[in-house]
Amino acid sequence: MRQQSCLARFLASAAVAAILALGLGGCQTAGMSDVTGSIGAKAEAAPDADPRRAVDALGERYRANPKDADLALRYGQALRATGQRAQAVAVLEQASIAHPGEKALLAGYGRALADNGNFQRAFDTLTRAHSPDNPDWRILSVQGAALDQPGRHDEARRYYASALKIAPEEPTVLSNLGMSYVLSKDLPKAEAALRRAYAGKSADGRVRQNLALVVGLQGRFSEAEGIVKADLPADEAAANVAYLKEMLSNHKDTPRLGAASAEAVGRS
């Protein structure tokens, strides 16, 4: 029971990290960075090669002209990219108050709130960032991820389903759906969704990392290693394998997970 409890906590923490990285633009590590598309026309400006330099430059410009909505959005994005989550929330909150009708700002503010763990506020803010008659599949996907964090998985999956109606087989939405199943400890369904995501033409290495994580959590370590190494230069492949091993090594003595054991963990 203690092993199952530890594994349950690991599954939850791994899925939270992966969903934040995929759907919410959270802390970026070892190939698991933000793969969700832009929210709003101005929400995701091209990132600076050095995010910290971007923070300094944009911060100076923002302080000189804090009423510029586009500048505030870009500065908030740069703060998010460097892990300064509370500061990003503060900047984007002020900008959203000053420009209440700017949907791109609301979208950026909602993502920053989600980065910072304010999931209900994030969900509510993102609801105002698009409208029922003109829904944005990217926002629907992020709303799903925000619902997943407090365990509202069925609701979250309805948002992913709505996003997929607009953008069929979109890898970023499917990847969020897969990690939703990780959170509810249904690894076979997680793997199925992530394999669909990985088959998409626009899927990248971060979707691959999530698929490898789920395969590894089911005890198929050689297969998981092959997934993270596929078609990569040797140094990048080695880094991805090291990251995967780090995520899995904390529970090397726990039983392998199949469908039955995953259900047992869910009942513990």
Side-chain angles (χ1 to χ4, degrees):
M1 183 64 69
R2 187 180 69 82
Q3 282 186 328
Q4 287 183 340
S5 177
C6 288
L7 185 54
R9 286 196 299 271
F10 173 68
L11 283 170
S13 63
V16 168
I19 287 178
L20 283 173
L22 282 165
L24 308 176
C27 183
Q28 300 179 9
T29 54
M32 284 197 177
S33 57
D34 186 4
V35 301
T36 294
S38 63
I39 293 179
K42 297 184 281 187
E44 299 291 337
D48 191 280
D50 183 344
R52 287 175 178 78
R53 265 183 25 197
V55 166
D56 292 341
L58 288 169
E60 185 175 340
R61 292 172 58 194
Y62 169 76
R63 285 185 288 274
N65 188 13
K67 294 184 178 180
D68 186 316
D70 185 48
L71 187 55
L73 190 56
R74 293 169 59 200
Y75 183 39
Q77 180 191 357
L79 288 167
R80 288 175 53 230
T82 54
Q84 299 179 67
R85 298 173 181 177
Q87 295 94 321
V89 167
V91 167
L92 292 167
E93 180 177 30
Q94 290 303 311
S96 298
I97 292 170
H99 304 275
E102 179 59 65
K103 291 189 180 299
L105 265 178
L106 287 170
Y109 178 37
R111 293 182 70 169
L113 285 166
D115 285 352
N116 207 39
N118 302 322
F119 298 115
Q120 186 58 55
R121 285 180 63 198
F123 178 85
D124 294 341
T125 300
L126 290 165
T127 298
R128 295 186 286 125
H130 62 160
S131 57
D133 61 333
N134 188 26
D136 186 323
W137 66 264
R138 298 169 182 86
I139 295 178
L140 290 169
S141 185
V142 179
Q143 286 181 286
L147 287 168
D148 261 322
Q149 303 311 308
R152 296 163 62 182
H153 304 307
D154 289 340
E155 292 177 75
R157 290 164 198 164
R158 287 197 288 271
Y159 276 81
Y160 299 139
S162 295
L164 288 169
K165 287 179 182 178
I166 301 170
E169 297 301 297
E170 166 57 41
T172 57
V173 182
L174 288 169
S175 195
N176 273 359
L177 175 61
M179 300 315 293
S180 175
Y181 283 119
V182 174
L183 280 170
S184 62
K185 306 171 190 71
D186 190 339
L187 297 185
K189 285 187 178 179
E191 181 179 348
L194 286 161
R195 286 198 180 279
R196 286 170 62 193
Y198 189 46
K201 292 182 179 179
S202 61
D204 69 8
R206 291 151 295 189
V207 174
R208 180 206 322 256
Q209 286 277 8
N210 284 346
L211 174 59
L213 171 66
V214 169
V215 170
L217 285 169
Q218 294 176 89
R220 289 153 35 215
F221 304 114
S222 296
E223 183 181 349
E225 192 170 315
I227 291 169
V228 297
K229 290 168 64 176
D231 304 320
L232 291 177
D235 55 345
E236 190 174 343
N240 283 353
V241 169
Y243 181 71
L244 178 66
K245 286 181 177 178
E246 180 183 349
M247 293 197 73
L248 297 172
S249 65
N250 292 334
H251 296 275
K252 61 185 178 181
D253 297 323
T254 55
R256 293 186 178 188
L257 279 176
S261 57
E263 291 171 1
V265 171
R267 293 194 297 269
S268 64

